[in-house]
Each structure stands twice: as structure tokens, then as C-alpha cells.
Amino acid sequence: MKYNVAQIVPKMGKHKGQTRYYAKPTPTRKIGFEEVIRDISEMSSLTSGDVRNAIDRLSYYLRRELAAGNTVQLGQIGTFRIIAASRHVEHEEQVTTAIIKRPRILLHLTKELRSATRELQLSVHNPKAKGEAPQSPGGSSSGGSDTGDQDTGGGGSGDPGHSPHVGL
């Protein structure tokens, strides 16, 4: 995955008004549905129509089972489930459906899929940085010092493989 150097001037916090720099991901290629169908068809004995129908039925099946409150384990992809947290209230009689937050679909990825984050090669285009080779996430060299600043621009905890959950 490739990054460029970007800058931001925070409007609050300990670095308010100071120019700060971070690695901003460059846009990646978006693989369209038709290409997915074609690729899966070419990698299997299924026709493109078979693949399209299987994905359509899978979507329908997931919607039906998740709407019924069920958890769906999907082989080497992961487990889908619906979560809906609740606000805390002072009195027991206040506990009603009104305090339940909007439900979300959670996907718990398998180890196999999470391993893609460890195989990903990272590089930052920064002509001002001292020489650095592309590396895998979590490597010893990060293209700069770790100042403990808040992550800016899409990463999470700094370890892309840290959380196996994907909120949808």
C-alpha cells in the first residue's frame, strides 16, 4: 500500500495551530463486482452466472438470518452478527427498547483473512525522508519517529491486523 506525505494544522489539542505531517494513503484500485465475478469464475468450475447467483443468494441469506438475530459463520471469510449496545440508565424501569442504540453488523474476520494485513507491503513517497525500503506493517522502521500523536487518515491502532472486527 502506498502513502504520500500530507499535512494538517489541528484546531484543538496540544498541537493546536502547529503544522503536523502524516502518511496519507493513496487511492487504490477499486475492483468492481463484474471483475470479481469474472475472476472467481476463471478460478473455479463455476460459470459467471453461477457466481452471480451464489453471491445474490448469499446476500439474501445473510440479510434474512441477521434480521432474525442469528450469527452466520461463513467458512474462510469470518462470522457475521448483529450487535446493538444499550445506553445506561439510572432506574430499572427505564430499561426499554428506547435505550437500545442502532444495530450494526459486525464481521469477525478469520485468521486467514487477517493475515493479509501482515503480508501487505507499505511504502511512503517522501523525497525528504532518509532512505527506507518498503516494509510490512508493524516493522521496526516507520518512516519517522513515533511521537504518540493521534492517527490521522485511516489506520486504527497502528497495527492493521490488531482487531479482527469490521463494523459494517
Side-chain angles (χ1 to χ4, degrees):
M1 189 162 184
K2 297 180 181 184
Y3 292 79
N4 288 317
V5 176
Q7 69 181 31
I8 189 169
V9 179
K11 296 181 180 178
M12 52 195 237
K14 72 178 184 176
H15 299 291
K16 178 180 178 179
Q18 300 172 9
T19 300
R20 307 294 292 174
Y21 300 90
Y22 65 99
K24 180 178 181 179
T26 59
T28 58
R29 184 171 80 94
K30 182 177 180 180
I31 300 172
F33 185 60
E34 293 302 318
E35 185 176 352
V36 170
I37 289 171
R38 186 179 62 247
D39 287 351
I40 292 173
S41 177
E42 289 173 0
M43 292 185 283
S44 69
S45 62
L46 300 172
T47 68
S48 58
D50 293 338
V51 174
R52 181 179 274 99
N53 288 338
I55 292 172
D56 177 65
R57 293 299 80 203
L58 176 60
S59 175
Y60 170 81
Y61 181 81
L62 284 170
R63 181 179 176 145
R64 184 186 75 191
E65 295 304 321
L66 292 172
N70 295 324
T71 296
V72 179
Q73 201 283 320
L74 201 57
Q76 296 173 339
I77 294 174
T79 303
F80 291 83
R81 67 185 174 109
I82 290 191
I83 59 169
S86 169
R87 289 191 342 251
H88 296 179
V89 291
E90 192 173 334
H91 303 286
E92 186 176 349
E93 52 276 352
Q94 293 175 296
V95 178
T96 66
T97 57
I99 67 167
I100 298 174
K101 297 177 183 177
R102 192 188 79 174
R104 296 181 305 128
I105 298 173
L106 187 72
L107 168 58
H108 180 89
L109 298 173
T110 61
K111 257 187 189 179
E112 184 176 13
L113 276 182
R114 289 193 319 261
S115 71
T117 62
R118 291 183 293 281
E119 297 164 8
L120 182 68
Q121 290 292 308
L122 302 176
S123 65
V124 175
H125 175 72
N126 183 356
K128 295 182 180 180
K130 299 187 192 257
E132 176 187 68
Q135 66 178 41
S136 295
S140 59
S141 173
S142 64
S145 63
D146 180 13
T147 59
D149 291 337
Q150 181 177 2
D151 179 39
T152 309
S157 66
D159 176 6
H162 175 70
S163 175
H165 300 287
V166 177
L168 304 174

